[in-house]
Amino acid sequence: MFQNTENTPISKIGEFGLIDHISKSFEVKNKDVLKGIGDDAAVIDLGNDKVMLVTTDMLTEGVHFDMVYTPLKHLGYKAVAVNLSDIYAMNGNPSHITVSIALSSKFTLEAVEELYEGIKLACENYKVDLVGGDTVSSQYGMTISITAIGYAEKSKVAYRSGAKEFDLVCVSGDLGAAFMGLQLLEREKKMFKENPNLQPDLNGYDYLLERQLKPEPRKDIVRLLHDNGIVPTSMIDISDGLSSEILHVCKASGVGCDIYISKIPVDHLTQQAAELFNMDATTPALNGGEDYELLFTVKQSDFEIVKKLKGISIIGHITADKMNARLVNQANEASPITALGWEAFNQ
Ligand code: ADP
Ligand code: MG
């Protein structure tokens, strides 16, 4: 039972407020903890310029996925992918995972097999080993929680807190596609409910659906930066939307930034789908989330190298103006960036 009789709704402080609240009452006791709560993964010193990275992410039915349109194999793959993404976001490489599942009675052996087919495929594609987990029953639906472990060179770890004035802000791939994929799936679900005889009309949108259902963490980008001798000064993966993530970087680094709307990479299919939903494509790109691209900063002296790298866009720069994150439009007008992305307790 709760001993404190106050009843503060968690939505009042939000997901990040709650995490701050929890972390305040825990002091780090072990000297090897280089970073505890507050980054994409915890960083544990192993000595000899080596660190271990640890991260965990949970997906729960009805909140993070809908069984109506989520194939279990994809769900297993995605659950692994989102964890590996947090290891890559530290400029590290994942090596092991544990998988814990809570299952209600509606899930059969065959269903669990399908889920693990996806987990296995992700393990094979990203060369990680499944080394444990936990299995429990649940009253309602499924929850899947994965912990990933990885390694990095201590001197090359990219924290959220390393961005400095004049650094260039870069992003991999394109943004907003996963959100538009979700809108399409939700629309089909609604139409199917109204008329079960209707065939899904998702032709031509495979890319957006794949981005939503089967995201790929950007191992290739970590490799590309490494091969080109670039160590990002800061890095974070885009799980909650560009706005939310750049604010995390600015807050952790004690800096501001100017991000240019015209430089934000958006795929033409995202653009097309946004038009279909009467939306400006910058909305999903800024606030959509679940793209699992990497947002990072590099020193200005790396400009000549970075501008030539395929699949990387330079979208702005870091300013000394503490916490003043600004979005600059085509007319060169700046407005403050606000986080409208995914927030666990505002759904
Ligand atoms: P990400 O989006 O990269 O997965 P989160 O926003 O989920 O990161 O978490 C931010 C930080 O807060 C991480 O260091 C994470 O380990 C920590 N964290 C989140 N929830 C809790 C919790 N309930 N208790 C302790 N630490 C937490
Ligand atoms: Mg992250």
Side-chain angles (χ1 to χ4, degrees), residues 9-20 63-64 179 239-245 247-248 251 286-290 338-347:
I10 290 174
S11 56
K12 197 173 158 198
I13 53 170
E15 175 190 352
F16 302 123
L18 178 63
I19 296 172
D20 278 348
V63 178
H64 299 101
F179 180 83
S239 50
D240 301 336
L242 176 64
S243 303
S244 170
E245 314 300 357
L247 286 173
H248 284 314
K251 187 176 175 202
L286 282 168
N287 303 314
E290 293 202 286
T338 46
L340 299 174
W342 176 265
E343 224 282 6
F345 297 98
N346 277 345
Q347 304 309 309

Side-chain angles (χ1 to χ4, degrees), residues 42-67:
V43 182
I44 316 288
D45 198 355
L46 298 177
N48 294 329
D49 196 33
K50 249 200 139 189
V51 297
M52 181 169 68
L53 305 165
V54 186
T55 183
T56 193
D57 255 307
M58 183 154 66
L59 302 177
T60 194
E61 186 176 345
V63 178
H64 299 101
F65 59 93
D66 188 328
M67 291 306 302

Side-chain angles (χ1 to χ4, degrees), residues 280-298:
D280 183 338
T282 47
T283 304
L286 282 168
N287 303 314
E290 293 202 286
D291 288 313
Y292 297 102
E293 293 296 343
L294 293 172
L295 172 68
F296 57 96
T297 53
V298 298

Side-chain angles (χ1 to χ4, degrees), residues 63-94:
V63 178
H64 299 101
F65 59 93
D66 188 328
M67 291 306 302
V68 170
Y69 52 71
T70 310
L72 280 165
K73 188 174 173 184
H74 287 62
L75 177 64
Y77 194 94
K78 180 169 177 174
V80 177
V82 302
N83 276 277
L84 304 188
S85 179
D86 277 324
I87 299 286
Y88 294 123
M90 302 304 291
N91 207 23
N93 279 298

Side-chain angles (χ1 to χ4, degrees), residues 22-327:
I22 294 169
S23 67
K24 264 189 217 132
S25 52
F26 282 82
E27 234 174 63
V28 172
K29 290 178 274 305
N30 292 290
K31 272 209 287 294
D32 60 359
V33 179
L34 300 179
K35 182 76 204 178
I37 295 172
D39 218 304
D40 293 292
V43 182
I44 316 288
D45 198 355
L46 298 177
N48 294 329
D49 196 33
K50 249 200 139 189
V51 297
M52 181 169 68
L53 305 165
V54 186
T55 183
T56 193
D57 255 307
M58 183 154 66
L59 302 177
T60 194
E61 186 176 345
V63 178
H64 299 101
F65 59 93
D66 188 328
M67 291 306 302
V68 170
Y69 52 71
T70 310
L72 280 165
K73 188 174 173 184
H74 287 62
L75 177 64
Y77 194 94
K78 180 169 177 174
V80 177
V82 302
N83 276 277
L84 304 188
S85 179
D86 277 324
I87 299 286
Y88 294 123
M90 302 304 291
N91 207 23
N93 279 298
S95 51
H96 307 86
I97 57 164
T98 62
V99 176
S100 301
I101 46 174
L103 298 169
S104 71
S105 56
K106 76 175 174 187
F107 293 97
T108 58
L109 168 65
E110 290 69 25
V112 175
E113 278 176 350
E114 223 180 282
L115 177 78
Y116 272 80
E117 264 178 50
I119 292 174
K120 188 163 183 217
L121 185 60
C123 284
E124 277 162 12
N125 285 355
Y126 292 91
K127 308 273 180 294
V128 299
D129 288 312
L130 169 65
V131 293
D134 200 13
T135 309
V136 298
S137 65
S138 108
Q139 287 278 336
Y140 308 101
M142 179 196 294
T143 295
I144 174 162
S145 172
I146 296 190
T147 296
I149 293 171
Y151 295 93
E153 284 173 60
K154 185 174 169 181
S155 50
K156 294 193 174 155
V157 174
Y159 295 94
R160 293 179 180 180
S161 56
K164 298 258 170 5
E165 188 185 9
F166 306 126
D167 282 356
L168 304 171
V169 180
C170 307
V171 71
S172 65
D174 60 83
L175 302 181
F179 180 83
M180 292 321 303
L182 181 63
Q183 300 313 303
L184 288 164
L185 289 165
E186 286 286 344
R187 186 185 69 165
E188 287 311 306
K189 178 183 165 183
K190 198 164 156 253
M191 280 162 59
F192 182 77
K193 264 190 180 163
E194 282 160 14
N195 182 358
N197 297 321
L198 271 183
Q199 284 299 308
D201 179 22
L202 293 163
N203 270 344
Y205 287 115
D206 291 9
Y207 176 65
L208 305 184
L209 303 179
E210 222 168 84
R211 294 281 284 173
Q212 169 57 222
L213 295 172
K214 191 174 171 285
E216 299 290 355
R218 301 308 305 261
K219 175 184 185 159
D220 55 333
I221 296 294
V222 169
R223 178 97 240 185
L224 184 71
L225 294 174
H226 179 267
D227 290 349
N228 283 277
I230 290 174
V231 179
T233 52
S234 73
M235 186 144 67
I236 187 169
D237 68 328
I238 302 185
S239 50
D240 301 336
L242 176 64
S243 303
S244 170
E245 314 300 357
I246 191 72
L247 286 173
H248 284 314
V249 170
C250 287
K251 187 176 175 202
S253 300
V255 295
C257 69
D258 279 355
I259 302 293
Y260 296 87
I261 291 182
S262 60
K263 306 275 186 206
I264 299 173
V266 175
D267 187 82
H268 73 280
L269 274 175
T270 306
Q271 188 83 43
Q272 203 175 305
E275 278 163 27
L276 192 68
F277 285 88
N278 291 319
M279 224 183 255
D280 183 338
T282 47
T283 304
L286 282 168
N287 303 314
E290 293 202 286
D291 288 313
Y292 297 102
E293 293 296 343
L294 293 172
L295 172 68
F296 57 96
T297 53
V298 298
K299 288 201 197 87
Q300 213 175 49
S301 53
D302 286 330
F303 174 71
E304 290 300 327
I305 303 175
V306 172
K307 76 169 188 197
K308 290 193 199 121
L309 297 182
K310 250 185 134 177
I312 289 178
S313 307
I314 301 171
I315 59 168
H317 59 267
I318 296 293
T319 63
D321 209 355
K322 237 181 181 179
M323 274 313 287
N324 191 9
R326 308 191 312 167
L327 199 60

